[in-house]
Amino acid sequence: MIKKLDVPEIFGSNVFNDETMQERLPKGIYKELIKNIENGTELDRHVADVVANAMKDWAIEKGATHYTHWFQPLTGVTAEKHDSFISPTSDNKVIMEFSGKELIKGESDGSSFPSGGLRATFEARGYTAWDCTSPAFIHETPAGATLCIPTVFFSYTGEALDKKTPLLRSMEAINKQAMRIVRLFGDNRAAKVTTCAGAEQEYFIVDKHTYEQRKDLIFAGRTLFGAPAPKGQEMDDHYFGSIKERIASYMADLNEELWKLGVKAKTEHNEVAPAQHELAPIYDETNIATDHNQLVMETMKRVAFRHDLVCLLHEKPFAGVNGSGKHNNWSLTTDTGKNLLDPGKEPHENRRFLLILAAILKAVDEYAPLLRESASNPGNDHRLGANEAPPAIISVFLGEQLEDVVKQLCEKGEATESIKGAAADVGVSTVPSFMMDATDRNRTSPFAFTGNKFEFRMVGSTASIADPNTVLNTIVAETFSQAADILEKADDVEMAAHDLTKQWISEHIRIIFNGNGYSEEWVKEAKRRGLPNIKNMVDALGYLTKPENIALFEKHGVMTCSELKSREEVGYETYSKTINIEARTMIDMAKKQIIPAVIRYTTTVANSVKAVEDVGVSAEVQRIVLSDCTKNLKLMNDALIKLEMAVEKAALITEPKKQAVAYRDEVFTAMAELRAPADALEMIVDAKEWPMPTYADLMFNV
Ligand code: ADP
Ligand code: MG
């Protein structure tokens, strides 16, 4: 039986969205609230009380007993503290209440959240405040329902302790500067420019019972040992392959949950690696898209459990096959519905578009390290530059059409034509003809123009998209403001814009690269062009507090110097803690699982040698196996001792950056030395003796 789903009916049914608000709020209150949301003004207490009460009634009808201020601390995952709606009455009973005050502001003893020195444990006060631009929603679990109120999280002194506050500030910054550009080109109708994001999410699915036998997956989210399976992704047969029933039923459930939450889950398909999949929603305003992406990740994990599956969001769950990322599609739209990144049919004539393009190229070139940093986490260090994900070097792919326009501008000083898409001709008369895009795609570029949006492809699959969007918005706000400063003084804006476009494009042409970003030649070429190649998270973090970057964030009111310092410090701590957990998990698995199994197996083989030779036959093969085993066992033991010492040493370092460097240079390298002989042993030891499921078991049994 096929379950029939009324998608329009269930879509957004768990969201306190515009429709619900219109239904449930008195007209005057609704209008007042919308005005606040649109203008970013402060909410009147009376309005807040009415909204809170309506929200509570709605939530209780949906089965909720509790509410929570839902926020995104610097851990990168969401946090919630639940309060029930109960309020005592004089006759010792309770009624269900929710006030405007409780809706707007929460106080949380958040001293255990990372703050990077912004808040000491003894100054525990942290506040959450309602972000009314993102609608409240119901979180349903078998245990009950909770009203979730999206909030920002900040300290007693007003410093941001979360990922959402800087994002919202950056959206305001780019709105302000983009509006100056929009006005300069004669648009007096638009009143606001918003950034939009669409986050394509990659993930792996493994069987829960298999997962439970791997301590590395449980503690670190990725395999720390594991010989390659006989088959990997070389046949390209998983990519876009037909979806297996168990996965399809998981995806169906996932879609239903997401639709109820108002997430516009749209596309799903198998990805390149075995057991890898992708989900893409329809894009939304960046703050909503950011909240939704967190919901997507949470829901993916939650729904998987229901199907006896586990969703792995780690950037590199398995060595030797592709890891997972998140493509962040980014664009700028006016409230009148114009996409500022739409080049139109004749891009060479579109002065506003070309200026915006030049400003983006300048921003990406000048602030490439900040973009690189925004996509850094310990997991992504395994991907960036490792021949699958985009390289760690930032460059921009424009595609044939725009590259040609840019070339004309630089070479002739004028762009006079635009390449057009040709009609598709596949040579089969029954296939209807259609116009092809003017531009092919490039899979290897970290920052690619894809028709009417830019796609930032470096982001890690576990990461919040708040950071990359905060950086993108801020750096482009900066180059927009520089352009506006010049053009607002010009007599002939069109001419001045043309000259500035030409100037900026020729100054930043080095950032454009349309070739293969995975090749060795590109690494050399990029070096020749002077483009930074920042190889890991620890190196990237330092850029947050370079004087020019502090000045940038402060100028646009996005982050203060102390907020940036705190983020840098939290980054080092996160890195050290992650590697520490991984190293300790490896030590545990090596000592308690792998080495004992190898010892058992060598004993069996040794007994065989004795038994076989006792009857006067040569046990040559057994002796070879035995010697291979003992050789690798010794290597493992030496590497284990080295790793234990490295961890011990690194753990003692107190300065965060120095500690992170030690984890990267000493601990991380020692981990690789321990893994190599263990993986070699997995290929020698009897499969029945191997103490954990293999790559083949994990990737091929769902
Ligand atoms: P592809 O990356 O294969 O071109 P799509 O065109 O479907 O695939 O887009 C991928 C993602 O980009 C989706 O999440 C989509 O909603 C989003 N997207 C499409 N247009 C825009 C836009 N103007 N701004 C931001 N994101 C967009
Ligand atoms: Mg894409």
Side-chain angles (χ1 to χ4, degrees):
M1 263 285 280
I2 291 178
K3 179 177 162 194
K4 239 178 143 181
L5 210 59
D6 185 347
V7 181
E9 180 63 30
I10 64 162
F11 186 82
S13 58
N14 277 349
V15 185
F16 197 69
N17 54 19
D18 196 63
E19 194 189 337
T20 316
M21 286 197 284
Q22 288 198 47
E23 237 171 64
R24 293 183 171 254
L25 295 175
K27 240 198 186 111
I29 299 282
Y30 169 77
K31 271 199 183 142
E32 202 48 38
L33 178 63
I34 295 299
K35 213 171 72 197
N36 278 299
I37 293 175
E38 276 169 5
N39 304 338
T41 45
E42 213 171 305
L43 205 62
D44 175 82
R45 266 301 292 279
H46 169 65
V47 176
D49 277 334
V50 179
V51 175
N53 194 53
M55 234 185 227
K56 175 210 68 185
D57 289 344
W58 170 79
I60 288 174
E61 280 168 37
K62 297 262 169 207
T65 49
H66 288 68
Y67 72 92
T68 179
H69 276 198
W70 187 76
F71 59 102
Q72 297 171 30
L74 299 178
T75 53
V77 291
T78 53
E80 43 196 87
K81 181 183 116 204
H82 297 199
D83 279 297
S84 73
F85 291 120
I86 64 165
S87 168
T89 56
S90 54
D91 53 355
N92 216 16
K93 293 190 167 157
V94 295
I95 50 167
M96 300 300 257
E97 263 188 351
F98 186 45
S99 69
K101 197 171 143 220
E102 289 167 312
L103 165 65
I104 291 178
K105 199 187 89 181
E107 195 204 314
S108 87
D109 173 5
S111 51
S112 294
F113 291 109
S115 76
L118 276 184
R119 210 177 29 160
T121 323
F122 60 90
E123 299 162 332
R125 236 181 250 277
Y127 294 102
T128 48
W130 185 27
D131 165 21
C132 60
T133 61
S134 183
F137 58 91
I138 301 279
H139 188 234
E140 268 179 339
T141 68
T146 305
L147 170 68
C148 296
I149 298 148
T151 55
V152 294
F153 179 47
F154 53 93
S155 73
Y156 190 67
T157 45
E159 277 139 335
L161 296 171
D162 67 349
K163 293 189 177 271
K164 208 51 197 303
T165 309
L167 176 68
L168 291 169
R169 292 175 184 157
S170 77
M171 290 177 73
E172 286 182 22
I174 197 163
N175 171 36
K176 191 164 146 201
Q177 303 305 334
M179 277 309 299
R180 293 171 71 192
I181 303 290
V182 165
R183 289 274 183 272
L184 277 163
F185 283 88
D187 183 340
N188 291 318
R189 277 184 51 229
K192 194 176 172 187
V193 173
T194 321
T195 54
C196 290
E200 304 166 55
Q201 177 74 46
E202 293 181 335
Y203 61 100
F204 280 81
I205 291 285
V206 296
D207 178 76
K208 185 158 159 270
H209 302 294
T210 321
Y211 165 92
E212 280 165 351
Q213 297 166 60
R214 296 276 320 204
K215 289 190 195 178
D216 46 5
L217 287 180
I218 293 171
F219 295 125
R222 74 176 179 103
T223 54
L224 299 164
F225 294 103
K231 183 182 173 188
Q233 62 191 42
E234 59 276 52
M235 301 297 283
D236 290 326
D237 52 352
H238 191 256
Y239 190 53
F240 283 18
S242 70
I243 299 170
K244 287 184 191 155
E245 267 185 32
R246 194 167 168 203
I247 298 293
S249 86
Y250 162 71
M251 286 178 171
D253 233 12
L254 175 63
N255 283 334
E256 186 176 342
E257 292 282 319
L258 292 174
W259 288 333
K260 281 201 261 179
L261 288 166
V263 178
K264 298 174 197 127
K266 170 87 174 159
T267 311
E268 59 198 20
H269 62 79
N270 286 352
E271 257 300 330
V272 171
Q276 193 185 28
H277 311 277
E278 180 181 302
L279 181 144
I282 295 173
Y283 66 100
D284 230 317
E285 286 187 12
T286 311
N287 56 327
I288 309 259
T290 301
D291 285 359
H292 280 182
N293 183 247
Q294 295 297 135
L295 286 177
V296 165
M297 292 194 285
E298 282 174 28
T299 313
M300 278 179 166
K301 287 198 227 166
R302 198 158 45 80
V303 174
F305 270 109
R306 255 190 245 161
H307 291 255
D308 267 338
L309 298 167
V310 174
C311 171
L312 303 177
L313 289 171
H314 196 280
E315 284 76 14
K316 194 74 182 175
F318 304 103
V321 296
N322 276 11
S324 297
K326 182 141 48 194
H327 290 179
N328 185 77
N329 294 271
W330 177 87
S331 65
L332 289 161
T333 322
T334 65
D335 57 342
T336 48
K338 273 207 193 86
N339 178 352
L340 297 178
L341 298 186
D342 186 354
K345 286 210 163 54
E346 308 285 354
H348 68 283
E349 289 174 354
N350 192 340
R351 289 259 157 96
R352 186 183 67 189
F353 171 77
L354 290 176
L355 176 73
I356 288 175
L357 178 69
I360 293 173
L361 291 175
K362 179 176 160 74
V364 174
D365 187 21
E366 283 178 356
Y367 296 105
L370 279 183
L371 272 177
R372 168 68 182 87
E373 193 286 324
S374 78
S376 301
N377 65 20
N380 230 9
D381 276 4
H382 299 279
R383 290 175 71 235
L384 300 182
N387 278 345
E388 49 151 311
I393 306 159
I394 303 256
S395 65
V396 181
F397 171 80
L398 285 183
E400 245 175 83
Q401 189 186 45
L402 289 186
E403 207 201 354
D404 178 63
V405 170
V406 159
K407 218 163 121 197
Q408 292 178 55
L409 269 174
C410 289
E411 285 171 7
K412 299 193 294 193
E414 201 68 54
T416 52
E417 58 186 348
S418 298
I419 298 174
K420 299 274 179 323
D425 180 11
V426 286
V428 179
S429 60
T430 48
V431 173
S433 69
F434 58 90
M435 292 304 284
M436 293 202 294
D437 295 309
T439 291
D440 197 3
R441 285 169 172 273
N442 176 317
R443 298 287 304 169
T444 64
S445 175
F447 200 84
F449 185 72
T450 44
N452 59 3
K453 63 186 193 283
F454 276 99
E455 191 171 332
F456 183 41
R457 302 200 178 116
M458 269 186 168
V459 187
S461 48
T462 51
S464 159
I465 60 165
D467 290 351
N469 284 295
T470 301
V471 168
L472 260 172
N473 295 346
T474 310
I475 62 178
V476 176
E478 170 57 21
T479 50
F480 279 177
S481 88
Q482 289 180 26
D485 286 347
I486 295 167
L487 300 183
E488 279 163 2
K489 290 194 204 97
D491 297 324
D492 182 343
V493 172
E494 290 265 328
M495 255 336 278
H498 176 254
D499 291 345
L500 189 61
T501 301
K502 225 167 55 184
Q503 183 198 328
W504 279 0
I505 284 181
S506 44
E507 281 168 7
H508 298 285
I509 196 97
R510 66 170 190 168
I511 197 74
I512 300 175
F513 177 63
N514 287 344
N516 178 7
Y518 295 174
S519 69
E520 249 329 289
E521 292 86 76
W522 170 233
V523 177
K524 286 191 204 122
E525 166 66 14
K527 193 168 176 198
R528 200 189 52 77
R529 293 189 191 185
L531 299 176
N533 183 0
I534 303 162
K535 295 210 171 81
N536 55 70
M537 172 177 180
V538 179
D539 286 343
L541 279 165
Y543 287 91
L544 283 177
T545 49
K546 294 252 184 240
E548 64 272 25
N549 295 335
I550 294 175
L552 165 82
F553 284 114
E554 291 204 325
K555 173 177 168 188
H556 294 281
V558 175
M559 275 188 273
T560 62
C561 178
S562 59
E563 286 171 340
L564 286 159
K565 280 192 177 142
S566 85
R567 267 147 228 260
E568 180 183 352
E569 199 175 308
V570 170
Y572 294 130
E573 285 169 7
T574 306
Y575 184 86
S576 297
K577 285 177 189 165
T578 307
I579 306 298
N580 186 53
I581 292 169
E582 291 186 348
R584 289 177 50 187
T585 305
M586 283 188 93
I587 292 168
D588 186 285
M589 290 168 79
K591 272 188 167 168
K592 295 191 200 154
Q593 292 184 285
I594 301 176
I595 292 179
V598 177
I599 291 176
R600 277 197 304 277
Y601 181 62
T602 47
T603 310
T604 310
V605 180
N607 286 338
S608 165
V609 171
K610 239 165 76 197
V612 170
E613 289 183 349
D614 269 358
V615 294
V617 180
S618 152
E620 198 190 336
V621 175
Q622 287 91 325
R623 282 184 179 275
I624 293 172
V625 170
L626 191 58
S627 121
D628 273 357
C629 276
T630 45
K631 212 166 59 205
N632 279 301
L633 193 59
K634 171 82 170 89
L635 288 175
M636 252 193 101
N637 195 58
D638 292 349
L640 184 63
I641 292 166
K642 199 170 150 195
L643 179 60
E644 282 181 316
M645 274 164 44
V647 171
E648 220 170 281
K649 220 172 96 196
L652 290 174
I653 302 172
T654 48
E655 204 277 309
K657 184 173 180 178
K658 282 204 182 105
Q659 187 179 44
V661 168
Y663 272 103
R664 181 193 63 193
D665 295 344
E666 315 287 336
V667 179
F668 193 73
T669 44
M671 282 162 59
E673 281 173 41
L674 176 58
R675 177 170 181 156
D679 289 359
L681 280 163
E682 190 186 325
M683 298 302 290
I684 308 170
V685 172
D686 182 352
K688 287 204 282 295
E689 287 290 339
W690 198 250
M692 64 195 79
T694 63
Y695 268 28
D697 299 329
L698 285 161
M699 284 192 273
F700 290 93
N701 89 342
V702 172

